[in-house]
Amino acid sequence: MRAKITYLVTAAVLVFYFVLVGSRGLMLIRHGTLVTVTFGIAVLILPVIGVWFLWKNTQFVRRANALAAELDAEGGLPVDDLARTPSGRIDRDAADAVFTKRREETEDAPDDWRTWFRLAVAYQDARDTPRARKAMQRAIALHRSGPRSPSAHPTPSSAPDTSTPSSAPDTSTPSSALDTPAPSSPAAPSSPSGA
């Protein structure tokens, strides 16, 4: 609930900023000179990009929350029972152990959005937010493309690459499933950065 309130407050502040910047851009355009009209148009571009970015993030959060609710209703939502440091952060070794399990599950069922959802949570627990987001996007794409059985296994022709991925944070490697988000070409997920 705290994260939701923080997100809503941040979104409200951004919308206020977009309105403020947009009004300044319109004032510059109304001034009527070539320089002020040019600057006014340039200033109006910033709120447009910001609104688009905010909209895309809001859609992502809503879809991820919908998947979490569906997975919770099925009883498949990952339980947060990881060991924590005295400061409250998740212990890195515990997160890495869970990540290994989630990666194997995803390699066994690369077309199941549920495994990708749980892998995204494991990436987030391992503090690898960029890959967590890509794994969640993959889960959303698989969910939207059609229902999959939780016990679905790949056919031999579409089996994922099960070689041990490098622990280096090289996200440009084409064999990483998170760099190829198309549901029709599954591959093995990578280890989290620094794992």
Side-chain angles (χ1 to χ4, degrees):
M1 184 63 169
R2 184 177 172 182
K4 188 174 185 177
I5 292 171
T6 303
Y7 184 81
L8 290 174
V9 169
T10 304
V13 169
L14 284 173
V15 167
F16 174 75
Y17 171 75
F18 298 152
V19 169
L20 185 64
V21 170
S23 69
R24 298 297 181 242
L26 290 174
M27 284 174 45
L28 286 169
I29 291 171
R30 282 192 210 125
H31 195 269
T33 67
L34 178 63
V35 173
T36 60
V37 169
T38 304
F39 278 126
I41 292 170
V43 167
L44 283 177
I45 290 173
L46 293 174
V48 169
I49 292 171
V51 167
W52 174 84
F53 182 75
L54 184 61
W55 173 250
K56 294 301 276 183
N57 276 312
T58 302
Q59 281 185 318
F60 174 77
V61 169
R62 288 180 61 219
R63 289 174 181 155
N65 285 340
L67 292 188
E70 186 173 335
L71 200 55
D72 188 31
E74 294 176 357
L77 200 60
V79 178
D80 184 10
D81 59 355
L82 295 172
R84 296 185 184 272
T85 63
S87 65
R89 293 186 76 167
I90 294 174
D91 179 64
R92 186 60 185 251
D93 292 334
D96 289 345
V98 171
F99 171 80
T100 301
K101 178 183 173 189
R102 299 300 182 208
R103 183 186 66 202
E104 290 170 358
E105 289 174 358
T106 306
E107 289 171 350
D108 289 342
D111 291 332
D112 187 4
W113 66 267
R114 295 161 187 84
T115 61
W116 284 97
F117 182 95
R118 289 188 283 264
L119 181 67
V121 172
Y123 271 129
Q124 187 65 37
D125 290 343
R127 298 190 283 272
D128 191 347
T129 303
R131 289 184 181 175
R133 186 173 179 92
K134 289 178 183 178
M136 187 61 73
Q137 288 170 340
R138 177 73 180 241
I140 291 167
L142 287 169
H143 185 267
R144 293 180 75 179
S145 68
R148 298 281 195 266
S149 165
S151 61
H153 292 285
T155 60
S157 63
S158 65
D161 176 16
T162 57
S163 61
T164 306
S166 168
S167 61
D170 180 15
T171 57
S172 63
T173 305
S175 64
S176 171
L178 301 177
D179 295 325
T180 54
S184 60
S185 58
S190 305
S191 297
S193 297

